[in-house]
Amino acid sequence: MRILITGSNGLLGQKITDLCMQKSISFLATSKGDNRYSKISDAEYRPMDIAIREEIESVVAEFKPTVIINTAAITNVDYCEDHKELCDLINVEAVRNLLHVAEKNNIHLIHLSTDFVFDGEKGPYKETDERNPLSYYGLSKVKSEDLLLNSAYKNWAIVRTIIVFGIAENMSRSNIVLWAKSALEEGQPMTIVDDQFRAPTFAEDLAWACVRIGELNARGIYHISGPDTFSIIELVQKVADYWGLDKSTLKTVSSSSLNQAAKRPPKTGFILDKARMDLGYDPGTFEESLDKLSSQLKKN
Ligand SMILES: NC(=O)c1ccc[n+]([C@@H]2O[C@H](COP(=O)([O-])OP(=O)(O)OC[C@H]3O[C@@H](n4cnc5c(N)ncnc54)[C@H](OP(=O)(O)O)[C@@H]3O)[C@@H](O)[C@H]2O)c1
């Protein structure tokens, strides 16, 4: 197996890179612009903008991957709401490019999607549940999924996931666990919603599932998240409890009071039966993942 990783500067991209190194899987890391992950050597990295088909074609001709894992995306939900054209370009048209190149070279395309394809009225969701996105980001991912679902080419997998957390280097954005930990440590006042429910996903578990899907040449849709679903306020309280931090700065609010550009689904969470059965996916509990994160932080 030879894995081409897109978006390797991002959180998931770095974790897949780590796993390829640990498992001695041949890989090429690519992202837009320069490499920002210190573990990757010059030989293991190429700048590649997935919005430019010729760049993908040239990297694929050089590296000859058997698998492409597409982690690259515009992942900021409110930014997508305000920048719909750019969101379409990277989250939809670029996936069309990847699918085209994958089909031409018979490459297994593994594409990342989101719980935001659902409206959150009846989570937890299974892979076959009906999609009804509330945000432009969610809609862009639905459109990208449709490219694969409606293609005659079937050598692909869609991996949907939910708020991903973990540590990575030089990230362009943080994630809820690290953000909550540092805000709580600094005693900053925080307003947190109590009417949105999610299953937080440890980045290492998600990376494991993506690589496993490649190893098995698994096809179709997979739901990959942490095993436990709770409200965002409970999530932040758990972070506080884990590191023994003061919770008096936390104020609970409803989603409607936040005035965010994009609407969020109230309750997602995933049914993981298919991933457990097909892949042997067995994610740690939230606390077990915090244990791992905590020891990573100590090493840094
Ligand atoms: N994180 C979550 O909570 C979450 C939840 C559900 C689904 N997902 C999906 O999971 C995937 C991975 O998420 P993540 O957390 O690893 O995201 P991330 O940390 O934001 O990483 C995405 C990476 O893609 C790169 N990128 C953006 N445009 C690109 C382009 N045109 N060509 C090549 N690379 C480009 C970004 O570069 P820069 O760093 O330079 O901007 C970034 O490094 C995404 O598809 C996301 O939609 C994530």
Side-chain angles (χ1 to χ4, degrees), residues 6-14 30-33 36 48-52 70-76 90-91 94 111-116 137 141 159-165 170-173 175 206:
T6 75
S8 63
N9 281 330
L11 175 57
L12 178 60
Q14 292 191 25
T30 69
S31 218
K32 197 174 158 187
R36 299 201 304 268
M48 187 180 90
D49 183 339
I50 58 168
I52 305 173
N70 180 36
T71 80
I74 301 199
T75 53
N76 183 320
I90 310 304
N91 290 2
H111 172 57
L112 270 292
S113 186
T114 172
D115 57 332
F116 278 32
Y137 168 75
K141 289 290 188 175
V159 178
R160 296 192 188 127
T161 191
I162 307 180
I163 47 175
V164 185
F165 66 95
N170 300 309
M171 289 192 312
S172 47
R173 64 187 196 121
N175 53 73
L206 176 59

Side-chain angles (χ1 to χ4, degrees), residues 8-9 11 13-22 27 29 35-45 167-170 204 296 299-300:
S8 63
N9 281 330
L11 175 57
Q14 292 191 25
K15 298 302 175 187
I16 292 173
T17 303
D18 285 344
L19 197 55
C20 287
M21 288 176 178
Q22 280 162 30
F27 73 94
N35 174 35
R36 299 201 304 268
Y37 189 28
S38 65
K39 284 193 193 164
I40 298 174
S41 70
D42 288 350
E44 291 164 332
Y45 184 84
I167 342 173
E169 285 177 14
N170 300 309
E204 272 78 354
Q296 291 170 359
K299 277 190 216 147
N300 277 359

